Amino acid sequence: SDPAKAAQLRGVGKRYGSRWAVQDLDLDLNFGQVVGFIGPNGAGKTTLIRMMTGLSTASTGKIEVLDTDLTRQTRSPDGIGMVAEHPRFVPYLSARKNLRLLARIRNVASDEDIAETLRRVGLDPQDRRAVRGYSLGMRQRLGVAQALMERPRLLFLDEPTNGLDPRGIVEFRELIRQLAAAGVAVFVASHLLTELEQVCDRVLFVRRGRVLEELDLHCFQEETVRVSVTGPD
Ligand code: ATP
């Protein structure tokens, strides 16, 4: 297998009874790349993410993720991070204490790692406020921080900017681009093109489990992000 590839899918299908949730899907995801998956409800994004994270098997085709053949086996390879649409935390603890709790349970990181991870996603490690008082944007960042505790080489994001204000969306895009620049492969699922067009290198348009079109956005996204962050004075 190719060391530059975080994931490679060939002819992947998933059938539930007589119904195909995903059909004949090809996907190449390299480290440092952000690939988007756009489709309406029922397009198959949950099914695809479950297969790529080792939670369910494929009915047809071949799936390789982080050098692990997941076609027929359900097992999560090390190095996978997942940010849910609505990440869950202990509401009465600070961001730092939430991560510390996770670190203890999973035995993954030191206190310095935690402070560094919080800074990396743009949260203040000294902030003592309980997470229940956090804005949606801060919760999303903390969700990413949680996933980063696993030191992922491949990160899955499900509807990441759902409900964020425009500023939050721009900042979130910046964060994703920084992770990609650090070599992380990112897979983002959404039902909105506007959510993905400025953060993805490539976008797959999917409907009823089939890729209708694949769009290469690499040429314009860096420029657009920079302009929208600095803005006119
Ligand atoms: P949503 O945005 O609503 O979560 P999705 O794009 O994630 O949609 P999936 O959840 O992957 O779509 O579902 C794709 C299709 O497969 C749907 O028609 C769904 O009804 C069907 N499906 C998904 N999981 C199962 C299951 N466990 N058993 C039967 N059918 C399923």
Side-chain angles (χ1 to χ4, degrees), residues 1-139:
S1 54
D2 185 341
K5 288 241 157 75
Q8 184 170 65
L9 281 70
R10 288 292 176 268
V12 169
K14 176 71 180 182
R15 187 176 54 208
Y16 292 108
S18 61
R19 185 183 201 137
W20 290 87
V22 168
Q23 266 190 91
D24 201 23
L25 194 120
D26 295 336
L27 171 68
D28 290 281
L29 179 48
N30 291 352
F31 293 111
Q33 254 185 356
V34 184
V35 170
F37 178 100
I38 298 202
N41 289 348
K45 67 186 158 60
T46 306
T47 303
L48 182 60
I49 290 177
R50 284 180 54 83
M51 288 192 286
M52 289 178 76
T53 53
L55 293 174
S56 88
T57 56
S59 311
T60 62
K62 189 171 165 65
I63 303 182
E64 262 191 27
V65 174
L66 300 176
D67 284 327
T68 309
D69 188 336
L70 294 181
T71 315
R72 294 281 170 265
Q73 61 172 342
T74 50
R75 119 179 145 76
S76 264
D78 285 343
I80 287 186
M82 172 82 199
V83 185
E85 188 174 350
H86 302 288
R88 292 178 160 265
F89 315 104
V90 183
Y92 53 85
L93 295 180
S94 67
R96 186 182 182 140
K97 286 194 170 160
N98 264 280
L99 292 194
R100 198 184 281 163
L101 187 65
L102 187 75
R104 294 246 166 88
I105 296 167
R106 310 267 305 145
N107 197 17
V108 278
S110 66
D111 283 359
E112 299 81 72
D113 292 336
I114 290 171
E116 174 54 33
T117 305
L118 285 168
R119 277 192 288 271
R120 196 169 166 196
V121 301
L123 291 174
D124 177 5
Q126 306 305 327
D127 191 343
R128 286 161 181 273
R129 274 179 300 167
V131 165
R132 70 174 154 233
Y134 272 28
S135 69
L136 216 52
M138 290 169 84
R139 280 166 195 267

Side-chain angles (χ1 to χ4, degrees), residues 177-191:
R177 290 312 313 177
Q178 278 164 22
L179 294 175
V184 178
V186 184
F187 182 92
V188 200
S190 174
H191 60 277

